[in-house]
Amino acid sequence: MTSAVHTLALSAALFVGACGGAPEPPALAPVDPVVVIGIDGVDPVILSELLAEGRLPNFARFAAEGSLGRLATFAPTFSPVIWTTIATGQHMDTHGVTEFLDDRNLPFTSNARVVPALWNLASDAGRSVDC
């Protein structure tokens, strides 16, 4: 065989050997499930009273086995802005939902978001999500 034929054969062998596809990504480490429960408009004083009276046993169990706290907010307290801020971890100037109503005088929806929500990021990273 000539040198050119050897080079061609070697190149073909290397090319075919590289066609096995992309390597498998590393396995993700197992994590405990995360559940976020948010109740729009809940009064923390009333919630605390109901918990103290034992009238919310399932909610009390969530609080006892997880974490319960009052979130700080900003004014005006427009639900679409606040929930989008929670969902993205971004300020309203970044995520794009800045009012209750959009330019067409309709309530903002998640379609107005210009950054991914946390569940989008988790899903993109190969984690299972359920919204």
Side-chain angles (χ1 to χ4, degrees):
M1 290 184 144
T2 67
S3 177
V5 172
H6 280 257
T7 302
L8 181 61
L10 180 60
S11 297
L14 290 174
F15 179 76
V16 170
C19 290
E24 288 292 319
L28 295 172
V31 295
D32 289 333
V34 175
V35 177
V36 177
I37 299 173
I39 304 172
D40 200 353
V42 72
D43 183 319
V45 173
I46 294 173
L47 179 63
S48 295
E49 290 172 3
L50 293 172
L51 285 168
E53 294 170 4
R55 295 178 56 192
L56 300 173
N58 293 323
F59 202 89
R61 181 174 166 226
F62 277 127
E65 294 180 12
S67 180
L68 175 67
R70 184 174 182 180
L71 296 177
T73 191
F74 41 83
T77 54
F78 295 139
S79 292
V81 177
I82 295 168
W83 286 114
T84 306
T85 300
I86 292 168
T88 64
Q90 301 291 323
H91 188 272
M92 66 180 141
D93 293 337
T94 303
H95 63 60
V97 178
T98 58
E99 299 278 340
F100 197 91
L101 301 175
D102 65 15
D103 294 337
R104 299 166 297 161
N105 211 30
L106 296 172
F108 270 103
T109 67
S110 61
N111 294 333
R113 235 189 310 113
V114 296
V115 297
L118 297 174
W119 51 86
N120 301 126
L121 296 173
S123 181
D124 290 348
R127 300 291 185 182
S128 64
V129 298
D130 188 11
C131 298

